[in-house]
Amino acid sequence: MSNLITRAGLSVDERLATFLESEVLAPLRRDVDGFWRGFANLLAEFAPRNEQLLAKREELQSQIDAWHDARKGQPHDPVAYKTFFEEIGYLVPEPSPFKIGTQNVDPEIATMAGPQLVVPILNARFLLNAANARWGSLYDAFYGTDTLDAPPAKPGGYDRARGDAVIARGRAFLDQALPLVDQSWADLADENDGKLQDESQYVGRTEKGLLFQNNGLHIEVVFDPSSPVGQTDKAGIADINVEAALTTIADCEDSVAAVDAEDKLLAYRNWLGVIRGDLQESFEKGGKTLTRKLSTDKDYSDRDGNAQSLSGRSLMFVRNVGHLMTNPAIRLADGGEIPEGIMDAVFTSAISIIDVEGQAKYGNSKYGSIYIVKPKMHGPEECAFTNDLFNAVEDLLGLPRYTIKVGVMDEERRTSANLAACIHAVRDRIVFINTGFLDRTGDEIHTSMRAGPMMRKGAMKGADWLTAYEARNVAIGLACGLSGKAQIGKGMWAAPDLMGQMMAEKIGHLRAGANTAWVPSPTAATLHALHYHQEDVFEIQQGLGEIPSVDTLLRIPLAEGTNWSDEELRDELDNNAQGLLGYVVRWIDAGVGCSKVPDINDVDLMEDRATLRISSQHIANWLLHGVVTQDQVMDSLTRMAAKVDAQNAGDPTYVPLTGNEDGAAFSAAKELIFKGVEQPSGYTEPLLHQWRLAKKAG
């Protein structure tokens, strides 16, 4: 049980208060008492507004449920459906044409195109790896993945044949990105040989080699004839380093299991370490203790011999939690828990002032901006609330207006349907929009839960609404002037070991007009960076523009009378149940919010909470409409529990699900399904938090 102390009428976890006062406010020379008074006043205004917005969600959902219940057995009428949505205020009028006015945006967001990492903020080692993924070794990425069309490396040291295939692939990349006059990079004899077709691509000389640029991204060709790899290379090239993860999102939300003051303190302490520049983590590897720190900048001499440097680290966003959850770390005067999203906004912004005021070791934003991604907002009212909240946070912390920038995640149906109005509500601070299949589909199912049984989860990827959703996000973003000022992003490649497939498919995100896209690891960022050398996204964006109709977006993905076989029903249930159990058991028992989780085919996928939302909502929908029975669901859960147990058999700390059906993990999985219809917007957080807190309490 945490020890609560009083601050301006608030009951605050003592450890959290001490951290904020001594490690954040004191170095910033902020008035501690004034901060707490201002924070209490902010909460008095915004906590009730937060609650009202959540009530509006439930009111709209109740109206939608009643509309579908009243028309049960009738064919869906899309015209009446849209009119109804307009009448209840779910659909709002489009704003007059406008362009966003965001200022002081770093080039990694505004004018450069490249990969983006999302990393759980609770894991310092992963956080450091992601922050340091601004640069990646192309040779290492090729050598250690399935990207090459060559046999895998033989065990027991350096595989020369594999190395030769890596070098050949590296040369092919250089020929594509940095073409030479009348020869290939494979023909070079040394670093002084060869001439670029476009001499403006040459940037300068680093300590290790030569620095070039293509499509706004840097490439370092490392010449070292004495190195093991350089000795085997005719030109002495030892490696090719590419600028990779331009931006990284340190995640307080879907990829973490943060349920109390202890968890939030770790999140804020890690964010402070990244911003301050002194975060480090020691770990054992190969019998040795290694310490990971943030990378230094990459120094070089430019074409005129002047000393210059490039950032050695990814530009950092922090993803706050959404509007839904509260947290016991701070309690209001009436004893109620504080809205966690408001706490995140104040605490992460306060920490970020260390960067804004130039006290950081390295610096994050060169323009004094704070970058916060805000997830799971429903429509323009909630975006306007966030804008007002950030205004109040700036006033509380003494920051100029619009210092805090916002990324709006387009992952809820009401936001997708009103995206232009959502952007308009934050038009002077927006720097990011993106799409995400899992959460967006989870909300698609929950919103239309009572309309009828949904198509199978795999078929959703070909549904009309999803195609319109992806295209509308880019087209509306471009119409609102995001190109050159903000990121338009696409979702995660979830299979970190299938890099060859990623390289074949993920270039589609660029061709759709996205100037960033999520990847699951630093290695994936290094490889995905090659796509941005193949395609000039900003040029592609100039050829896009037509916005698909909202009518298509509102097409409900109903199964429309499909009669599935018993085998098909079992396959669908097993797929959903296995993915749900495999993730829940780590979240509840180990407090791990994001990790490699084997799917039903034993393929490792990077899973976060969105996995649960779509899987639990899909089963709940089929249960509601009698497609499957509770007995069939329990049979699937029981069999898949045994499979998940077998997949985790090598983990000595793992607690099996089988034989522990009354335990927290299996109980949480059951409730996510059987109580799925009544969960707010189909979110999994309320039940996960409840069962994780029970697990932590012993």
Side-chain angles (χ1 to χ4, degrees):
M1 186 72 176
S2 63
N3 183 31
L4 297 176
I5 59 177
T6 302
R7 293 288 187 270
L10 303 172
S11 297
V12 187
D13 178 88
E14 184 176 21
R15 297 161 298 177
L16 192 60
T18 300
F19 162 77
L20 186 73
E21 292 168 4
S22 63
E23 298 187 50
V24 181
L25 298 178
L28 292 170
R29 295 182 176 85
R30 291 301 200 272
D31 174 12
V32 172
D33 291 339
F35 168 82
W36 288 114
R37 287 194 302 272
F39 187 29
N41 291 335
L42 183 152
L43 286 166
E45 177 183 354
F46 285 93
R49 285 183 62 185
N50 194 106
E51 190 172 346
Q52 291 165 7
L53 289 170
L54 297 179
K56 178 68 174 292
R57 293 182 188 179
E58 292 304 308
E59 178 189 350
L60 288 172
Q61 187 62 56
S62 295
Q63 291 175 295
I64 294 168
D65 288 345
W67 195 88
H68 287 303
D69 285 344
R71 287 156 181 77
K72 185 170 288 187
Q74 301 177 25
H76 179 65
D77 184 343
V79 176
Y81 180 67
K82 182 181 178 182
T83 300
F84 163 69
F85 268 32
E86 292 169 341
E87 290 172 348
I88 65 173
Y90 186 102
L91 279 177
V92 303
E94 289 281 307
S96 300
F98 71 97
K99 303 294 183 183
I100 65 170
T102 316
Q103 301 293 321
N104 299 318
V105 183
D106 286 87
E108 290 92 336
I109 294 170
T111 57
M112 300 174 70
Q116 187 168 64
L117 282 167
V118 184
V119 61
I121 201 168
L122 297 184
N123 191 311
R125 183 178 171 186
F126 290 176
L127 184 55
L128 286 163
N129 289 345
N132 290 341
R134 178 63 175 261
W135 294 88
S137 164
L138 200 52
Y139 278 11
D140 287 349
F142 284 148
Y143 191 88
T145 67
D146 67 348
T147 310
L148 291 180
D149 185 17
K154 298 175 184 176
Y158 181 67
D159 182 340
R160 175 64 185 271
R162 178 76 175 177
D164 289 345
V166 167
I167 290 170
R169 179 66 180 84
R171 291 299 197 278
F173 163 66
L174 292 177
D175 284 339
Q176 175 263 312
L178 306 170
L180 301 175
V181 175
D182 297 332
Q183 63 177 336
S184 165
W185 278 83
D187 301 328
L188 296 191
D190 56 48
E191 66 177 272
N192 298 311
D193 195 9
K195 182 180 180 182
L196 290 169
Q197 289 184 17
D198 181 358
E199 293 187 5
S200 69
Q201 289 186 300
Y202 174 68
V203 174
R205 182 177 293 274
T206 66
E207 180 184 1
K208 296 181 178 180
L210 302 178
L211 190 66
F212 304 91
Q213 190 176 45
N214 178 58
N215 285 353
L217 295 177
H218 291 91
I219 303 165
E220 181 188 30
V221 181
V222 178
F223 289 87
D224 186 359
S226 64
S227 70
V229 176
Q231 288 177 359
T232 69
D233 187 89
K234 182 170 67 173
I237 295 178
D239 205 347
I240 302 169
N241 294 321
V242 297
E243 201 169 14
L246 297 181
T247 53
T248 287
I249 299 172
D251 187 23
C252 298
E253 197 230 11
D254 263 357
S255 70
V256 300
V259 298
D260 55 20
E262 177 186 32
D263 297 332
K264 296 304 291 188
L265 179 58
L266 177 57
Y268 297 146
R269 191 175 294 284
N270 284 346
W271 181 240
L272 175 64
V274 167
I275 290 299
R276 201 163 53 192
D278 57 5
L279 182 67
Q280 62 182 49
E281 180 79 356
S282 296
F283 54 95
E284 299 293 324
K285 187 173 183 179
K288 297 181 180 179
T289 299
L290 304 177
T291 299
R292 189 143 295 159
K293 303 178 180 179
L294 289 170
S295 296
T296 59
D297 289 341
K298 185 176 290 292
D299 296 326
Y300 70 97
S301 299
D302 66 18
R303 299 163 67 99
D304 299 322
N306 299 314
Q308 306 284 356
S309 66
L310 296 170
S311 179
R313 299 156 309 284
S314 198
L315 181 73
M316 303 298 295
F317 287 79
V318 61
R319 181 160 68 165
N320 291 178
V321 305
H323 297 325
L324 177 65
M325 297 304 294
T326 61
N327 195 284
I330 302 177
R331 292 185 178 274
L332 302 165
D334 63 3
E337 296 179 357
I338 186 176
E340 190 176 352
I342 295 177
M343 180 169 68
D344 272 357
V346 173
F347 279 50
T348 59
S349 296
I351 291 166
S352 299
I353 297 175
I354 291 170
D355 178 57
V356 173
E357 296 190 352
Q359 297 187 35
K361 182 177 181 181
Y362 298 114
N364 186 47
S365 170
K366 293 181 175 64
Y367 292 89
S369 290
I370 297 169
Y371 298 107
I372 295 178
V373 175
K374 190 67 178 178
K376 296 181 171 57
M377 292 190 290
H378 292 239
E381 284 179 294
E382 297 195 10
C383 291
F385 170 81
T386 292
N387 190 67
D388 292 346
L389 173 63
F390 286 0
N391 283 344
V393 173
E394 288 164 346
D395 293 342
L396 170 66
L397 299 175
L399 295 169
R401 184 64 74 235
Y402 305 128
T403 295
I404 304 174
K405 307 301 193 288
V406 69
V408 174
M409 297 191 66
D410 179 6
E411 55 188 348
E412 308 299 328
R413 197 171 189 251
R414 187 151 55 111
T415 294
S416 301
N418 301 286
L419 183 57
C422 290
I423 294 172
H424 188 266
V426 288
R427 60 192 176 278
D428 290 318
R429 65 171 84 245
I430 190 165
V431 290
F432 166 96
I433 58 172
N434 81 333
T435 56
F437 170 73
L438 293 177
D439 259 313
R440 181 61 183 80
T441 305
D443 195 56
E444 185 74 20
I445 296 170
H446 187 84
T447 302
S448 305
M449 179 66 72
R450 296 183 181 275
M454 299 290 164
M455 60 178 61
R456 294 183 68 176
K457 193 168 67 175
M460 291 277 188
K461 294 181 179 179
D464 291 342
W465 76 265
L466 186 61
T467 302
Y469 159 64
E470 293 285 357
R472 279 172 56 86
N473 179 272
V474 174
I476 292 172
L478 293 175
C480 295
L482 268 67
S483 185
K485 289 186 175 182
Q487 290 178 324
I488 299 175
K490 294 293 182 186
M492 180 67 75
W493 178 265
D497 297 327
L498 302 181
M499 292 292 96
Q501 187 179 348
M502 183 193 80
M503 292 303 292
E505 296 181 17
K506 200 167 177 66
I507 196 169
H509 283 163
L510 286 75
R511 291 169 179 164
N515 57 323
T516 194
W518 286 3
V519 286
S521 68
T523 296
T526 299
L527 292 169
H528 183 42
L530 304 190
H531 289 144
Y532 297 87
H533 290 283
Q534 287 179 249
E535 301 283 1
D536 185 335
V537 179
F538 294 109
E539 186 175 296
I540 290 172
Q541 289 179 344
Q542 292 177 12
L544 302 174
E546 185 176 351
I547 301 174
S549 168
V550 72
D551 296 348
T552 307
L553 182 79
L554 294 177
R555 289 178 187 168
I556 304 172
L558 297 171
E560 296 181 324
T562 303
N563 291 314
W564 294 286
S565 68
D566 290 343
E567 182 180 4
E568 287 174 320
L569 294 175
R570 179 179 166 123
D571 285 349
E572 188 71 15
L573 279 179
D574 286 357
N575 183 288
N576 281 319
Q578 186 276 337
L580 192 153
L581 286 167
Y583 181 75
V584 164
V585 72
R586 299 188 185 200
W587 211 101
I588 300 296
D589 287 353
V592 175
C594 182
S595 65
K596 283 186 181 182
V597 179
D599 71 1
I600 198 166
N601 299 311
D602 299 314
V603 175
D604 283 340
L605 301 179
M606 293 298 293
E607 303 283 30
D608 70 8
R609 230 164 28 208
T611 303
L612 297 191
R613 191 180 183 195
I614 184 175
S615 297
S616 60
Q617 287 297 293
H618 195 269
I619 299 176
N621 171 261
W622 277 16
L623 270 170
L624 178 66
H625 294 285
V627 178
V628 294
T629 66
Q630 184 167 330
D631 286 344
Q632 287 175 303
V633 174
M634 284 305 303
D635 173 69
S636 182
L637 284 171
T638 301
R639 288 183 294 99
M640 291 304 101
K643 181 173 182 64
V644 170
D645 288 345
Q647 290 173 325
N648 287 276
D651 182 354
T653 66
Y654 178 77
V655 178
L657 293 160
T658 304
N660 193 27
E661 287 84 359
D662 292 331
F666 198 86
S667 297
K670 287 191 297 183
E671 290 192 357
L672 285 166
I673 294 170
F674 297 124
K675 295 182 178 180
V677 173
E678 64 198 64
Q679 294 310 298
S681 305
Y683 290 130
T684 61
E685 292 93 313
L687 289 172
L688 286 177
H689 280 230
Q690 172 192 323
W691 284 105
R692 174 62 182 159
L693 285 167
K695 182 72 177 182
K696 291 186 75 170

